[in-house]
Amino acid sequence: MGKQIINVSVNGKRLEKAVEPRTLLIHFLREECHLTGAHIGCETSHCGACTVDLDGESVKSCTHLAVQCDGSEVLTVEGLAKGPLLHAVQEGFYKEHGLQCGFCTPGMLMRSYRFLQENPNPSEDEVRAGIGGNLCRCTGYQNIVKAVLYAAAKLQQTERAAA
Amino acid sequence: MNAPIDPKLLERSAALQGLGDSRLRKEDARFIQGKGNYVDDIKMPGMLHMAIVRSPVAHARIKRIDKSEALKIPGVIAVLTAEDLKPLKLHWMPTLAGDVQAVLADEKVHFQMQEVAVVVAEDRYAAADGVEAVIVEYDELPVVLDPFAALEPDAPVLREDLAGKTEGAHGKRDHPNHIFTWEAGDKAAADAAFDTAPVTVKERIFYPRVHPCPLETCGCVASFDPIRGELTTYITSQAPHVVRTVVSLLSGIPESKVRIVSPDIGGGFGNKVGIYPGYVCAIVASIVLGKPVKWIEDRIENISSTAFARDYHMDGEIAATADGKILGLRVNVIADHGAFDACADPTKYPAGMFHICSGSYDIPAAWCSVKGVYTNKAPGGVSYRCSFRVTEAVYVIERMVDILAQKLGIDKAEIRAKNFIRKEQFPYTSAFGFEYDSGDYQPALDKVLAAVDYKGLRVEQAAKRADPNCPTLMGIGLVAFTEVVGAGPSKMCDILGVGMFDSCEIRIHPTGSAIARMGTISQGQGHQTTYAQIIATELGIPSEIIQIEEGDTSTAPYGLGTYGSRSTPVAGAAIALASRKIHAKARKIAAHLLEVGENDLDWEIDRFKVKGDDTRFKSMKDIAWAAYHQAPPGLEPGLEAVHYYDPPNFTFPFGVYLCVVDIDRGTGETKVRRFYALDDCGTRINPMIIEGQIHGGLTEGYAVAMGQQMPFDAQGNLLGNTLMDYFLPTAVETPKWETDFTVTPSPHHPLGAKGVAESPHVGSIPTFTSAVVDAFAHLGVKHMVMPHSAYRVWQQLKESGVAL
Ligand code: FES
Ligand code: FES
């Protein structure tokens, strides 16, 4: 199968790569870009472990082809922190014990990151619905929900401080 | 009156972040930044990828395997079948249960999705193409899925390799499809109790097949170095040392040249204890090809072929007095172990800890029997988030106690209180011969009943039952369970002849920081955090500068790994005792430095000080430095210790759980209104982590009780092996959990800690069933089979004539 050249920005870095048309975005990120933060839990769009941000939307990178991302901007968990400064969702997960084995965490973080932009001041039930596409087998979600609410409060605080 | 505590002391103690502190997890930094290091993240130069050809049918003879098309595919390097493994004597392997299992199907397949061939290729896409191109012809055989049918005299012989063998790993086999019969307790005494008791109850309690389903599937990267003769394998394993021993026995490579590394593991829950054919094939492929080989299972393979749990058909019987005092217990089980007996039970307990089925109750006479049976299903019988089958045991006793209460018209809480082993009876020896270390059940029950206003709930329920227009049925589930964890004493527990001790090696560096290496391996339990907390308290070194390392057999001392909540009860004790060895040496050094006798010193948080003189002391930091350049004459330099801890007994954490459900009479949907979980795991090392594990265990219990199913059709096809069909709850369905605790330390554990992570799973599953059945109790329903999905519950509503 002939390879196809794609241009993508991954975590703010522009890349030009030749990929097989059938290459999945998750494999592209993990194998070609050496970004192993996004994980593979099912490869069928059910678990959310592979969630990344694509042009401002949460997507499950196991069911996107890399060639579909030509010209797009991808953000993965590796791009979430600004230098040494953790993003509020990362801090929330740490402070509220929102992870155990950590396997779902990168996907959860990326989904929470996007969700809080869609809904900056969510109720608990809205958080639960907002992360409903991401499975976690360890935490029972209770602390993940707390973590997202922590991040929401923190982000709003920073916004108020900036205003 | 006590003197006020010196604030300086408090500050010093808090700075250590030791026992009892909800210290935030040290491991999180890497996970939240995408820097975890799971098996699939590992890459090696020249690494090849392996994928598995699996059988589409459940029982068949293999007529022909044709590799030629697959080998033509660009990138495909090799295709291996049983014929290729035969000259190496690697086509069959021993299981952890004393059976043997085909690594690649040897002329016959025994279950759907069994491993038939492997394809090794340059990348994962080529390997997948190769799998598609391997042609296998099957001659189908009659399929046996029901363990009762498997024991019929004329049932097809499933394991032809065992034909004529009347002796199995655990005694006599009386039928070609029979694996073992295992009995515990005193049958004559139990029978006598049943002969004379005024009341008896009996019920068949089926515990369906479920799958642990951690989010990360199984996998490995095997790398054999032909020049050095060394094998390194990164593997998703809960027991890396055991894997190394088995790999060495299988391959003939000396154990000292086999290195097994369990890096970060994405959840285990019992799924990652066993040794799977995929691991063995990747290792063989690496040895044969001289290159690193990666195999990562996909989700469908994971659900279909690795580590099922349960599938127990349990006949429970209780004999009692008319006022509900239990006199006798009998449990008879037919256990479906699938095609190979591949569970990891201790050698002496082929049915695991099933004889904990007397639960929290003082039962004078008890007997249980478990018959293991082969069927055409994937190898089952693993301990899913429990110590070797405590889940099933607790399920049967708690269901039976409910059934007895219902028959006698006694309240669930009252009948439990009446039968509890009382505080003053501990240490208590059960009718099965287990010595329960400590327990105090009544206060736990009282606390839960008060917290939820149990009486009020019953009044509300009575009012709803009286109202024919009420749109819901309300049910209250109550369970008071006792677990047995901390496997285990090597006199009772071993795997393949290796005793189930655990180990810890601690080194204090000259500058006072420490490293501890462990025989266990975390799959999310937060060992790096809690283990350091134990050392911090024992040795007065701040948690932050204590490094915990585990999972690498080339550096860690031998240990039996992490499953069955054994890390804290066994490895935690090893840490405490290794620390105490160092503490004793540190005292000698301090006495030498301070020029006093050892008995003239007091230990205070992080220092030895001269009795009665606060100004003369040596901190652990001072002592660490001195250990490397001014050790007292006759004492070896350095400050390190290793301890192999063989526990004197199991530990017996317990809990009382209560659940309130509202069932929609129109749809059968069950809403969990409240779930209150009180756990007593003895001394609590990190309350935050304990609570997190309880949430997780409750959620997995909820999944099992309310939705998980592994349905097979008559041909042995598993009808749901993706996450589309197999229910894993999301944040939306998952109930909110309320947690509580009491503390009853273990008298024989150096810290009093008992272990907790599986309790919520073991305890919650019968609680959900208890609640759902209770909603129908006034309609004469005694028991309902899990999972309590809306459809099943709706069927019950219809049957009971109350569907809207
Ligand atoms: S791996 Fe993409 S959703 Fe599971
Ligand atoms: S933390 Fe293990 S899957 Fe979420």
Side-chain angles (χ1 to χ4, degrees):
Chain A
M1 229 172 292
K3 291 200 173 183
Q4 203 168 313
I5 306 274
I6 57 168
N7 265 292
V8 275
S9 143
V10 179
N11 298 333
K13 244 212 256 145
R14 290 231 71 86
L15 299 172
E16 191 180 274
K17 294 247 183 197
V19 294
E20 270 192 50
R22 63 174 172 171
T23 304
L24 296 173
L25 176 56
I26 182 71
H27 295 148
F28 173 74
L29 291 171
R30 292 177 55 84
E31 311 293 333
E32 300 291 320
C33 307
H34 305 287
L35 294 169
T36 53
H39 294 140
I40 301 171
C42 67
E43 286 174 302
T44 48
S45 256
H46 293 105
C47 76
C50 64
T51 306
V52 299
D53 209 70
L54 179 68
D55 295 331
E57 262 181 76
S58 299
V59 302
K60 290 176 174 170
S61 60
C62 69
T63 31
H64 257 71
L65 295 169
V67 288
Q68 287 176 290
C69 305
D70 191 16
S72 294
E73 296 207 11
V74 180
L75 182 69
T76 73
V77 69
E78 288 92 340
L80 209 47
K82 291 280 162 280
L85 215 62
L86 292 181
H87 188 276
V89 291
Q90 292 172 308
E91 191 181 308
F93 274 67
Y94 172 58
K95 289 267 169 73
E96 298 291 350
H97 187 30
L99 60 148
Q100 290 182 29
C101 78
F103 199 77
C104 71
T105 311
M108 283 284 182
L109 287 167
M110 293 316 293
R111 177 57 201 141
S112 308
Y113 159 81
R114 179 52 54 197
F115 168 71
L116 288 177
Q117 293 175 43
E118 295 159 357
N119 185 351
N121 188 18
S123 68
E124 184 183 328
D125 281 346
E126 286 167 343
V127 173
R128 284 183 181 263
I131 58 167
N134 290 59
L135 294 173
C136 174
R137 286 296 279 158
C138 305
T139 63
Y141 305 105
Q142 202 146 316
N143 290 343
I144 292 183
V145 173
K146 278 204 229 162
V148 178
L149 292 172
Y150 173 102
K154 167 116 194 196
L155 286 170
Q156 285 187 302
Q157 216 179 19
T158 346
E159 218 159 85
R160 268 200 304 276
Chain B
M1 212 186 89
N2 289 333
I5 300 173
D6 181 351
K8 264 211 212 107
L9 287 186
L10 280 180
E11 205 178 289
R12 246 166 52 210
S13 168
L16 296 178
Q17 294 186 305
L19 286 191
D21 184 40
S22 282
R23 179 186 180 218
L24 293 179
R25 294 200 334 165
K26 211 175 167 160
E27 36 279 84
D28 290 355
R30 65 178 184 277
F31 296 137
I32 56 177
Q33 298 182 73
K35 296 286 182 232
N37 185 32
Y38 301 89
V39 172
D40 194 23
D41 300 342
I42 288 160
K43 292 187 185 110
M44 288 186 170
M47 186 173 80
L48 303 172
H49 294 256
M50 186 187 95
I52 301 179
V53 179
R54 292 175 181 272
S55 171
V57 293
H59 197 199
R61 230 167 278 289
I62 296 175
K63 284 202 326 208
R64 182 174 81 96
I65 302 180
D66 181 353
K67 315 172 177 178
S68 56
E69 287 304 312
L71 287 169
K72 285 184 203 151
I73 291 175
V76 170
I77 310 273
V79 179
L80 303 177
T81 66
E83 290 307 310
D84 302 301
L85 303 189
K86 226 172 238 176
L88 307 166
K89 294 200 176 55
L90 284 171
H91 55 315
W92 286 79
M93 64 177 183
T95 71
L96 296 181
D99 196 358
V100 288
Q101 173 172 2
V103 174
L104 289 173
D106 183 17
E107 294 172 22
K108 193 178 136 162
V109 294
H110 291 85
F111 62 93
Q112 191 192 37
M113 295 291 277
Q114 187 179 342
E115 301 79 0
V116 173
V118 294
V119 176
V120 185
E122 276 164 6
D123 63 61
R124 60 200 306 156
Y125 287 74
D129 288 345
V131 165
E132 289 300 308
V134 173
I135 298 161
V136 187
E137 275 178 45
Y138 299 94
D139 226 350
E140 291 194 46
L141 295 166
V143 172
V144 185
L145 297 170
D146 174 27
F148 294 92
L151 290 176
E152 291 292 331
D154 56 350
V157 177
L158 305 185
R159 289 285 302 276
E160 285 162 13
D161 59 301
L162 301 177
K165 270 187 111 184
T166 53
E167 199 65 36
H170 309 289
K172 286 251 157 309
R173 299 170 70 227
D174 53 29
H175 184 285
N177 298 331
H178 173 220
I179 310 173
F180 61 80
T181 297
W182 176 75
E183 293 175 359
D186 184 338
K187 184 162 189 332
D191 289 349
F194 277 85
D195 289 344
T196 53
V199 183
T200 60
V201 284
K202 181 170 182 172
E203 188 68 35
R204 167 146 309 166
I205 310 281
F206 174 50
Y207 201 129
R209 201 165 247 248
V210 292
H211 193 272
C213 223
L215 205 58
E216 178 203 37
T217 59
C218 297
C220 70
V221 180
S223 173
F224 182 69
D225 179 337
I227 310 288
R228 293 192 173 83
E230 288 172 5
L231 173 72
T232 300
T233 303
Y234 295 84
I235 191 166
T236 49
S237 176
Q238 298 179 236
H241 289 276
V242 181
V243 172
R244 183 182 58 179
T245 300
V246 172
V247 166
S248 169
L249 290 171
L250 268 172
S251 64
I253 303 172
E255 204 165 344
S256 49
K257 291 196 171 198
V258 179
R259 176 178 171 218
I260 302 291
V261 185
S262 277
D264 288 327
I265 302 294
F269 318 123
N271 190 234
K272 293 171 181 166
V273 179
I275 295 178
Y276 296 117
Y279 301 153
V280 179
C281 291
I283 289 170
V284 174
S286 177
I287 294 173
V288 172
L289 302 169
K291 290 204 170 163
V293 176
K294 179 188 270 191
W295 168 63
I296 302 291
E297 187 186 57
D298 72 25
R299 178 58 59 189
I300 291 172
E301 296 180 290
N302 179 252
I303 297 182
S304 336
S305 70
T306 61
F308 288 91
R310 292 134 205 179
D311 224 339
Y312 258 36
H313 303 258
M314 310 183 277
D315 286 328
E317 285 178 277
I318 288 183
T321 63
D323 62 352
K325 180 81 192 84
I326 301 174
L327 302 171
L329 170 75
R330 286 193 299 224
V331 184
N332 225 315
V333 182
I334 295 292
D336 185 343
H337 281 233
F340 305 102
D341 192 17
C343 48
D345 282 327
T347 307
K348 295 180 193 73
Y349 303 130
M353 303 294 180
F354 194 73
H355 43 351
I356 189 77
C357 60
S358 50
S360 310
Y361 310 110
D362 182 19
I363 300 180
W367 176 77
C368 84
S369 155
V370 183
K371 210 167 187 176
V373 183
Y374 291 121
T375 60
N376 289 124
K377 293 184 197 156
V382 303
S383 322
Y384 166 22
R385 206 163 182 153
C386 77
S387 271
F388 310 118
R389 298 213 175 267
V390 189
T391 310
E392 293 91 316
V394 167
Y395 193 73
V396 72
I397 184 69
E398 287 303 303
R399 289 306 308 130
M400 290 314 297
V401 170
D402 266 15
I403 288 168
L404 176 67
Q406 209 170 328
K407 171 154 183 172
L408 296 175
I410 300 177
D411 183 82
K412 295 183 183 193
E414 192 187 322
I415 201 161
R416 288 182 163 81
K418 180 172 280 206
N419 287 289
F420 274 156
I421 303 162
R422 294 183 315 280
K423 188 182 179 193
E424 59 277 11
Q425 286 174 281
F426 290 95
Y428 168 86
T429 305
S430 76
F432 291 117
F434 272 61
E435 191 187 288
Y436 291 35
D437 59 349
S438 65
D440 194 1
Y441 303 145
Q442 190 63 48
L445 176 64
D446 293 341
K447 208 174 172 193
V448 171
L449 298 182
V452 300
D453 182 19
Y454 183 66
K455 283 211 184 89
L457 287 170
R458 285 289 180 205
V459 170
E460 180 193 342
Q461 186 186 41
K464 287 192 164 151
R465 284 178 176 173
D467 171 9
N469 297 322
C470 182
T472 54
L473 294 182
M474 172 179 168
I476 304 169
L478 179 69
V479 153
F481 66 94
T482 295
E483 259 254 64
V484 49
V485 304
S490 62
K491 59 178 186 277
M492 299 165 90
C493 291
D494 70 273
I495 285 190
L496 290 178
V498 182
M500 293 184 75
F501 57 85
D502 238 292
S503 57
C504 168
E505 178 191 293
I506 305 177
R507 283 185 200 163
I508 314 285
H509 307 128
T511 50
S513 70
I515 182 160
R517 296 194 163 113
M518 308 293 307
T520 50
I521 168 74
S522 172
Q523 309 113 38
Q525 293 92 338
H527 289 174
Q528 293 192 354
T529 307
T530 46
Y531 286 173
Q533 288 181 265
I534 298 173
I535 299 173
T537 294
E538 293 285 337
L539 290 179
I541 299 171
S543 271
E544 287 104 80
I545 55 169
I546 301 168
Q547 189 69 17
I548 304 293
E549 246 185 52
E550 45 181 7
D552 185 341
T553 59
S554 67
T555 53
Y558 205 107
L560 272 280
T562 294
Y563 40 87
S565 283
R566 62 188 301 281
S567 294
T568 300
V570 189
I575 298 172
L577 295 178
S579 301
R580 287 173 197 180
K581 287 179 183 168
I582 291 176
H583 196 267
K585 186 172 179 183
R587 178 183 284 272
K588 286 192 181 17
I589 297 170
H592 172 71
L593 296 174
L594 292 162
E595 297 177 331
V596 294
E598 278 184 59
N599 294 333
D600 299 324
L601 294 174
D602 275 338
W603 169 253
E604 197 190 79
I605 300 172
D606 61 352
R607 62 193 58 182
F608 288 99
K609 59 175 199 121
V610 176
K611 278 186 177 150
D613 183 354
D614 282 355
T615 60
R616 294 183 63 208
F617 64 84
K618 289 290 166 194
S619 69
M620 262 325 264
K621 210 172 151 89
D622 305 329
I623 295 167
W625 190 261
Y628 287 85
H629 81 124
Q630 297 178 252
L635 208 62
E636 272 178 75
L639 203 52
E640 57 184 74
V642 48
H643 194 92
Y644 282 73
Y645 181 75
D646 186 4
N649 189 7
F650 299 103
T651 57
F652 294 78
F654 59 92
V656 174
Y657 290 179
L658 188 138
C659 172
V660 184
V661 297
D662 295 300
I663 294 175
D664 187 309
R665 282 171 56 200
T667 63
E669 270 164 303
T670 302
K671 194 169 171 353
V672 176
R673 190 201 307 178
R674 261 193 112 162
F675 197 104
Y676 199 92
L678 179 144
D679 275 282
D680 190 321
C681 60
T683 305
R684 291 155 62 86
I685 297 170
N686 184 317
M688 175 192 83
I689 288 179
I690 289 174
E691 196 167 294
Q693 296 204 355
I694 290 171
H695 292 170
L698 294 173
T699 305
E700 290 193 359
Y702 171 77
V704 169
M706 306 310 283
Q708 289 184 341
Q709 246 178 314
M710 314 237 69
F712 289 85
D713 71 8
Q715 280 74 47
N717 298 306
L718 177 52
L719 298 177
N721 56 7
T722 70
L723 294 185
M724 169 97 103
D725 315 282
Y726 191 65
F727 173 61
L728 300 187
T730 73
V732 178
E733 305 84 54
T734 301
K736 282 172 212 160
W737 311 113
E738 299 170 70
T739 55
D740 197 352
F741 63 96
T742 55
V743 176
T744 310
S746 168
H748 63 76
H749 186 279
L751 305 169
K754 287 185 168 185
V756 75
E758 62 196 34
S759 288
H761 189 72
V762 168
S764 68
I765 297 166
T767 314
F768 288 112
T769 302
S770 177
V772 172
V773 176
D774 188 64
F776 291 93
H778 61 301
L779 304 166
V781 175
K782 283 192 294 181
H783 179 65
M784 288 160 69
V785 179
M786 289 186 287
H788 309 296
S789 60
Y791 178 59
R792 291 248 190 118
V793 173
W794 178 78
Q795 283 174 311
Q796 184 66 60
L797 287 164
K798 286 288 242 196
E799 206 174 295
S800 299
V802 290
L804 281 182

